[in-house]
Amino acid sequence: MTTIDTIAISADLLWLNRDNTPRVAANMKRALNGAPLVQQTIIPAGIAMELGTKSGWIQRTEFEQLKAHAAITLTAFTLAYEGTTYNVVWDNTAGAPVAGEDVFDEVGGFEQLTNVVVKFLTM
């Protein structure tokens, strides 16, 4: 089970970007003689984490709780995922930190959502 701050998520969430998140920051310039000057450093925090349902689904009540939490919580909180606890903040740097689609189109929204993605930055 995944717990986002105090919100327990009953659906199984997948770590969507687990294996394609940069863990090292680097840049390269050329010296006047053309030799490469490379600088690299390990990124200790601010790692982007995206959890989601893919084709699975979560209840609208849980989704609405996540949206409300993301709208008012600007400080760090705890994410418990797969037996590990992370200190995170909502990732508002590239669009909405919580997004999803209704399983079926319905006026007022369907009771379940699919393709849900929640975005965090580690602290």
Side-chain angles (χ1 to χ4, degrees):
M1 179 189 290
T2 302
T3 305
I4 300 170
D5 203 4
T6 58
I7 304 166
I9 305 300
S10 59
D12 291 329
L13 297 179
L14 304 169
W15 189 340
L16 302 175
N17 67 337
R18 180 191 313 255
D19 298 320
N20 63 359
T21 301
R23 305 289 178 154
V24 174
N27 68 17
M28 192 271 297
K29 291 183 180 181
R30 296 253 177 222
L32 291 177
N33 66 358
L37 300 172
V38 179
Q39 295 180 324
Q40 301 184 92
T41 188
I42 294 172
I43 301 172
I47 305 289
M49 286 181 77
E50 291 183 6
L51 304 181
T53 61
K54 282 202 172 183
S55 58
W57 52 269
I58 69 171
Q59 294 293 330
R60 177 166 295 282
T61 55
E62 293 174 359
F63 182 78
E64 294 298 335
Q65 288 176 350
L66 292 173
K67 282 183 21 181
H69 190 276
I72 62 171
T73 307
L74 304 178
T75 57
F77 55 92
T78 302
L79 165 66
Y81 180 74
E82 292 184 339
T84 304
T85 301
Y86 301 91
N87 195 28
V88 297
V89 294
W90 288 107
D91 185 357
N92 291 289
T93 62
V98 180
E101 302 171 6
D102 289 338
V103 174
F104 297 106
D105 292 332
E106 184 175 285
V107 175
F110 194 69
E111 64 186 43
Q112 297 156 346
L113 288 101
T114 188
N115 299 324
V116 173
V117 175
V118 289
K119 300 183 224 176
F120 308 99
L121 293 172
T122 61
M123 298 305 292

